[in-house]
Amino acid sequence: AQSVSQHNHHVILSEAASLELGCNYSYGGTVNLFWYVQYPGQHLQLLLKYFSGDPLVKGIKGFEAEFIKSKFSFNLRKPSVQWSDTAEYFCAVNPYTGNQFYFGTGTSLTVIP
Amino acid sequence: GAGVSQSPRYKVTKRGQDVALRCDPISGHVSLYWYRQALGQGPEFLTYFNYEAQQDKSGLPNDRFSAERPEGSISTLTIQRTEQRDSAMYRCASSLGGYTDTQYFGPGTRLTVL
């Protein structure tokens, strides 16, 4: 069965610190990759997505992610976090052959002002 | 425009009762997804509709769970003979087209089975 691993469950950073959240998946075929964010009291929303092409994708609010096929990874990065980035972050994988989306368990990010 | 809405937002029921959860997608969105999210976990795929056709129900945990979207718009997820383990947040998402399009999530329905 496909699985998505987010190894960082809780991350606490000070403002202006750099962020990297890990995401690894187990699926041998072609995949589409996503990062979603859920701000406190809000709905899940898309941060960025990768389908093909340049493995470095840029999303909203200064976030980016890099797809490394050989490592089955899609890590999320931001050079300098803000207090407003405090949220839950979910990595998701969509195998190219289907409509299922597999989410990781999420990483809770707290940014201290 | 209006986003995805779900009702009720909270549902408390007794074990053995049936529940129906409603999802109203964004107007014109072809695709509709249902997910279940347990506390501390990520969303778990349940089922997918393309218009009114349920094209994938591989994530439904057992035959007590069913879903429909009869007119290709509003969808209902029904859980029969609820059990305590069914307690979770049930999320609905819609997208304009297929899996390459952005999914817009609703606020979810928090189901508690006593």
Side-chain angles (χ1 to χ4, degrees):
Chain A
Q2 292 79 16
S3 69
V4 181
S5 299
Q6 292 183 243
H7 305 294
N8 316 104
H9 298 294
H10 300 280
V11 174
I12 301 175
L13 295 172
S14 298
E15 273 194 319
S18 64
L19 170 72
E20 180 160 3
L21 301 182
C23 173
N24 289 88
Y25 63 93
S26 64
Y27 184 73
T30 303
V31 295
N32 300 310
L33 297 159
F34 307 80
W35 274 97
Y36 282 85
V37 61
Q38 186 169 22
Y39 298 103
Q42 297 188 26
H43 310 173
L44 272 164
Q45 57 185 282
L46 183 69
L47 258 185
L48 49 79
K49 57 187 177 183
Y50 171 80
F51 294 145
S52 63
D54 188 344
L56 185 63
V57 293
K58 296 191 183 300
I60 60 172
K61 304 187 181 186
F63 286 91
E64 63 180 31
E66 184 176 14
F67 170 50
I68 302 179
K69 189 174 181 179
S70 60
K71 294 185 178 180
F72 298 89
S73 71
F74 190 56
N75 292 355
L76 181 71
R77 300 196 292 247
K78 186 172 184 179
S80 175
V81 295
Q82 301 172 312
W83 175 78
S84 58
D85 294 325
T86 294
E88 187 95 18
Y89 292 81
F90 294 93
C91 179
V93 173
N94 160 235
Y96 203 69
T97 54
N99 290 297
Q100 305 93 343
F101 283 73
Y102 300 96
F103 283 77
T105 54
T107 297
S108 173
L109 172 66
T110 301
V111 179
I112 301 170
Chain B
V4 178
S5 61
Q6 292 185 246
S7 61
R9 294 291 308 279
Y10 302 91
K11 177 69 177 179
V12 180
T13 190
K14 292 184 179 179
R15 190 176 51 189
Q17 298 294 307
D18 297 350
V19 295
L21 312 180
R22 171 182 164 132
C23 172
D24 200 341
I26 293 172
S27 178
H29 277 197
V30 166
S31 297
L32 187 145
Y33 303 80
W34 280 101
Y35 295 89
R36 176 173 67 174
Q37 186 173 9
L39 206 59
Q41 301 295 315
E44 173 193 11
F45 171 83
L46 295 178
T47 187
Y48 163 74
F49 288 87
N50 182 34
Y51 292 103
E52 72 280 2
Q54 188 175 22
Q55 294 196 337
D56 190 327
K57 55 181 181 179
S58 61
L60 295 177
N62 52 60
D63 60 8
R64 295 187 297 106
F65 287 73
S66 63
E68 62 175 10
R69 193 186 184 198
E71 297 178 0
S73 179
I74 293 168
S75 178
T76 303
L77 176 70
T78 301
I79 309 173
Q80 296 179 312
R81 306 181 302 282
T82 53
E83 301 177 6
Q84 284 187 325
R85 60 179 172 155
D86 298 333
S87 296
M89 176 74 83
Y90 289 82
R91 298 192 186 275
C92 170
S94 71
S95 68
L96 190 60
Y99 56 85
T100 58
D101 289 320
T102 299
Q103 291 187 39
Y104 294 88
F105 281 80
T109 295
R110 170 72 67 189
L111 174 65
T112 302
V113 182
L114 302 177

